[in-house]
Amino acid sequence: MTVHVELRRGAYHDSVSLMQVSRSVAGAPGVQAAQVAMATELNVDVLGQMGFEVPADAGPNDLVVAVRADDEAGVESGLAAVEDALRALSATSSDTGAADEVPPATLGSAVRRSGAGLAVVSVPGAHAVTETYDAISAGASVMLFSDNVSVEDEIALKDAAAAADVLVMGPDCGTALVGGVALGFANVVRQGPVGIVAASGTGAQQAMCLLEAAGVGVSHCLGVGGRDLKAAVGGRSTRQALRALAEDASTEWVLVVSKPPDEAVLETVRAEVADLGLRVHWATLGAGRPDLTAAVEQALAAEGVTVPEWPATTAAPDDATLPVGPSLRGLFCGGTLAEESLLVATDALGPIASNLGHEPALGAGLTDAGHVVVDFGADELTRGRAHPMIDPTLRMERIAAEAADPTCGVLLLDLVLGHGAHPDPAGELADAIRSARETAHAAGRALPVVVSLTGTDADPQGRSRCAEALAAGGASVFLSNAAATRHAVTLLGGAR
């Protein structure tokens, strides 16, 4: 094994770009592990956890290139991948202006120079607040992709935005579609009459893909951040987004999508919507409320649209002589999809341990012998690391571990396609599913696998192509996350 760590002084790149670079390098021949990141305190800590020793004089303006490989040839392969990936980034950025043009020094100056009405902020949370204020003061709405922004800063930013008559989408806003332009993780869907306001990333993607399957297009999808409908934030951006859509000529009706909201905030927003003259339908998760698929179906029916049969492929059953373990293991990349599955499965199975902020809560190891749902996109699992929709390494390792655990009865997984996601995720996941089932079979037990596949055929990855690959790996595949969860519960016996 050979380890290479170097500092490149003053070579700044944004965190999202470096996540993609790290992933490219990690896939180079002979490379065991790699991380290319700015030497912030958080990233240095992550590098240390990965076994890399970063020089003590490294600072946040320095780029760290860390590669662990089988041998020197592997290191050279990894470094060549670094150069190729950074060169590609440089080529992309150089396409945005004339060769002799001096780039703007700040985000605000970039907004003023370009006249842009929308800025995307994607820097570590500690720095995101300043950049967002800068864009707001320049007159731009902001898609705040960054997470780890305090709720106090979120409230202050949204109040500042309201005073400036612009919108803050976020923090932790992963999905938006504005005038047909996809931002962050977003699917390719047709243009149409439906506006979406989403305090939920993967929930918005699920809704967009269900609408696409029903032949209904989207005008805009405005993310507002997962906390917006909680008591502390009070629906500040949801109100602004609804007012904006009420004034938008291309929007005929609206779907509000949310993780479980605060009841009082939701009722207040509902009452205010009545004055906007806007047809609004609600897909807000919670005990006793419809799941996302049912909410979309209700909205379609109310708007006079025939509800289609949602795409689904059911795998052939395992050998009936093989026993199935007793517990559901839901391993998710999408937080809202995890929340929805937890709600749906709890109705049938009883308490499910998770890292979603509910009881019973999983410990630091995120394991339990009973039913479990894990959100691998949770803040604590993405600090200094790419989101699992980009880098699924942690979940892949967990799939292998569950395959060897006799208490694991059914694996329930999600896979979310679209811009920003892994460019070819189905092949890797299908291989992991196939390997997990083989491991279980070798130990004398069956391991059914169910996948919730959110995407469209227009996505870069192609939903049908991905569904075929996953089915070939032995999985049942559903467009509806709620339907996937119910199928998994059925395979488990569906009883407490």
Side-chain angles (χ1 to χ4, degrees):
M1 182 181 72
T2 303
V3 176
H4 175 92
V5 177
E6 67 172 277
L7 288 181
R8 299 186 183 185
R9 305 286 186 185
Y12 178 80
H13 297 276
D14 71 87
S15 58
V16 173
S17 297
L18 290 178
M19 288 175 185
Q20 300 283 7
V21 171
S22 294
R23 178 159 182 82
S24 297
V25 178
V31 173
Q32 298 176 1
Q35 185 82 335
V36 182
M38 302 308 296
T40 62
E41 183 179 352
L42 176 62
N43 286 337
V44 170
D45 182 52
V46 170
L47 283 156
Q49 294 175 26
M50 294 175 69
F52 294 112
E53 186 174 345
V54 179
D57 62 342
N61 294 320
D62 300 328
L63 181 70
V64 182
V65 177
V67 178
R68 181 165 58 247
D70 297 336
D71 48 29
E72 283 294 341
V75 168
E76 291 179 10
S77 170
L79 293 178
V82 171
E83 299 309 324
D84 288 345
L86 293 179
R87 194 178 301 115
L89 288 179
S90 177
T92 300
S93 61
S94 67
D95 289 340
T96 59
D100 59 351
E101 183 178 357
V102 177
T106 67
L107 179 57
S109 64
V111 168
R112 293 186 184 91
R113 182 186 297 184
S114 65
L118 175 64
V120 178
V121 172
S122 176
V123 296
H127 309 288
V129 175
T130 301
E131 298 300 329
T132 303
Y133 274 124
D134 196 20
I136 291 171
S137 66
S141 293
V142 175
M143 178 186 177
L144 181 48
F145 187 88
S146 309
D147 57 8
N148 293 302
V149 174
S150 73
V151 69
E152 292 80 11
D153 282 331
E154 177 177 354
I155 292 168
L157 286 171
K158 289 182 173 179
D159 286 345
D165 197 24
V166 296
L167 175 68
V168 168
M169 296 187 283
D172 201 12
C173 176
T175 298
L177 184 73
V178 181
V181 177
L183 301 170
F185 300 110
N187 300 95
V188 181
V189 297
R190 71 192 73 191
Q191 287 262 282
V194 185
I196 296 176
V197 177
S200 156
T202 50
Q205 291 190 262
Q206 170 85 149
M208 281 197 289
C209 294
L210 291 170
L211 291 170
E212 174 69 18
V216 178
V218 174
S219 58
H220 310 279
C221 174
L222 306 178
V224 294
R227 296 184 301 217
D228 194 72
L229 284 170
K230 300 297 186 185
V233 184
R236 283 168 161 80
S237 285
T238 299
R239 289 181 169 86
Q240 272 191 275
L242 286 168
R243 286 195 292 270
L245 291 175
E247 296 171 359
D248 177 58
S250 65
T251 300
E252 297 177 13
W253 57 277
V254 170
L255 185 68
V256 177
V257 183
S258 175
K259 296 178 181 178
D262 178 84
E263 293 291 341
V265 172
L266 181 62
E267 288 310 309
T268 302
V269 174
R270 279 177 179 269
E272 292 177 5
V273 165
D275 297 329
L276 294 177
L278 192 64
R279 301 200 302 277
V280 179
H281 305 278
W282 304 86
T284 52
L285 290 175
R289 292 205 190 93
D291 57 58
L292 295 179
T293 302
V296 170
E297 290 173 346
Q298 291 174 4
L300 290 172
E303 295 293 335
V305 179
T306 301
V307 176
E309 184 174 341
W310 307 116
T313 302
T314 304
D318 278 306
D319 183 344
T321 64
L322 294 177
V324 175
S327 300
L328 176 71
R329 300 292 157 76
L331 310 179
F332 285 83
C333 298
T336 303
L337 299 180
E339 286 271 8
E340 182 183 48
S341 287
L342 182 76
L343 287 165
V344 171
T346 296
D347 287 344
L349 302 176
I352 297 175
S354 76
N355 64 336
L356 296 167
H358 309 298
E359 292 296 334
L362 287 169
L366 300 178
T367 58
D368 190 278
H371 306 303
V372 168
V373 169
V374 178
D375 171 19
F376 282 91
D379 283 3
E380 66 271 18
L381 298 180
T382 57
R383 288 193 180 98
R385 177 186 295 274
H387 192 280
M389 285 165 60
I390 299 172
D391 180 1
T393 302
L394 282 183
R395 187 169 75 157
M396 291 296 193
E397 293 172 355
R398 182 62 177 268
I399 290 171
E402 295 290 355
D405 182 352
T407 67
C408 173
V410 176
L411 269 179
L412 175 61
L413 311 170
D414 66 342
L415 183 61
V416 183
L417 310 179
H419 293 300
H422 189 295
D424 185 22
E428 286 186 20
L429 186 57
D431 287 343
I433 291 169
R434 189 179 294 107
S435 177
R437 285 169 51 77
E438 289 172 354
T439 297
H441 291 171
R445 63 189 180 92
L447 182 57
V449 180
V450 183
V451 178
S452 158
L453 177 59
T454 296
T456 73
D457 281 339
D459 283 333
Q461 303 89 350
R463 188 188 181 282
S464 294
R465 185 169 66 251
C466 291
E468 290 171 4
L470 294 168
S476 297
V477 185
F478 293 78
L479 172 61
S480 162
N481 184 61
T485 304
R486 291 193 175 91
H487 185 69
V489 168
T490 300
L491 292 171
L492 203 58
R496 294 171 187 255

